[in-house]
Amino acid sequence: MKQIKINIDKISDFDLKLAKNPRVIAAIDEILSLSLDERTVRLHNLRQQIADGKASLFEERVLTRLLEQRTAEWIKLLQKNLSIIEQELQKRHPPQPPALSFDAEMPEVSESPSKVQETSHAELLDFLATQKPPTPRIPSNIRKKSLPKQQESFLRRHAKDVILASLAGILLIGAFLYALFSQPEAPTIETFDQEARHESPEVKAIHEEIQNRYDAAAYQLRFGSFENGKRMLLELVKEYPTGEHAENAYVLLGDVYRQRQRDPDQALKYYQLALEKFPSNPQTGMTQLKMGFAYEDLHDLPQAKEFYRLLVSRYSDTSRVGQAARARLASLENTRQ
């Protein structure tokens, strides 16, 4: 697969927020199913709605950005590698603990316990190391000369126990901090597609070749010779039938047959192949939604309703697939047969 190297410093806080939002990711999945020309038309229409005051705040601030060239792919890439990006950002900008101050023997009453707990382990250990163990208090009315030898021996043993307990506590804290901070560091980010995994040069070369062939076939399919693009995709799937690109190839062929070739029968064929060969893929719901669209194109409304009902039962109201399925089902049920 083709390597994609990203400069972490170029990732904005707004882009990270978009990558963490389920509603945004659902919208991205729908946008990725569109061609660049279709995105341009939709962006133009959306900006016209904004100018007319008919767009929602989400459409104005988020959807317009996602429809810009390659922005949806960028946010999807961040979402897939969110955990790695956050680890890298934390390593570059670790949180700074507040300085520990001991202006008095006891903290002021106004200080909350949570503020004291924010003290760093290292400073706490330094403070404990400088403190003397508490000395047993002897009542003022007792004079050393008048103490029996038995009581004096008891007090000495008690002081010794307090010292040993304090030292044991310091050693226990030290052992805990050593175990906490001696964990091995996470591997540095090499590429997002490999998710920091080390691969041999031979494997990387194969991945890059597959990605280049897929990109060339997709370009031919959309902007060049449809038949050449189709042939190139199917040859690639035949050679590498289990990779991610194979499912993408089936879905892409279905999209082009449905949207450009106006052939929903062929579109259904390739959508069904994607579902049969990759039943547990995250794109399953979106593929089934597109099958519903294809059945609508064929005017087979009962079959389209069955697909939408299936998706409504599987996906919540907050997911993009669930929302789209509910909207289409409601529209068809209100249509007179």
Side-chain angles (χ1 to χ4, degrees), residues 106-112:
M106 295 293 292
E108 296 180 0
V109 176
S110 60
E111 274 188 82
S112 63

Coordinates of all heavy atoms in Angstrom, one line a residue, residues 106-112:
M106 N 2.0 22.9 56.9 CA 0.7 22.4 56.5 C 0.1 23.3 55.4 O 0.3 24.5 55.4 CB -0.3 22.3 57.7 CG 0.2 21.3 58.7 SD 0.1 19.6 58.2 CE -1.6 19.4 58.0
P107 N -0.6 22.7 54.4 CA -1.3 23.6 53.4 C -2.4 24.4 54.0 O -3.0 24.0 55.0 CB -1.9 22.5 52.4 CG -2.1 21.3 53.2 CD -0.9 21.3 54.2
E108 N -2.7 25.5 53.3 CA -3.7 26.4 53.8 C -5.1 25.7 53.7 O -5.3 24.8 52.9 CB -3.8 27.7 53.0 CG -2.5 28.5 53.1 CD -2.6 29.8 52.3 OE1 -3.6 29.9 51.7 OE2 -1.6 30.5 52.4
V109 N -6.0 26.2 54.5 CA -7.3 25.5 54.5 C -8.0 25.7 53.2 O -8.8 24.8 52.7 CB -8.2 26.1 55.6 CG1 -9.6 25.6 55.6 CG2 -7.5 25.9 57.0
S110 N -7.7 26.8 52.5 CA -8.4 27.0 51.2 C -8.0 26.1 50.1 O -8.6 26.0 49.0 CB -8.2 28.5 50.8 OG -6.8 28.7 50.6
E111 N -6.8 25.4 50.3 CA -6.3 24.6 49.2 C -7.2 23.3 49.2 O -7.5 22.7 50.2 CB -4.9 24.2 49.4 CG -3.9 25.2 48.9 CD -2.5 24.6 49.0 OE1 -2.1 23.8 48.1 OE2 -1.8 25.0 50.0
S112 N -7.6 22.9 48.0 CA -8.3 21.7 47.8 C -7.4 20.5 47.7 O -6.3 20.6 47.3 CB -9.2 21.8 46.5 OG -8.4 21.9 45.4

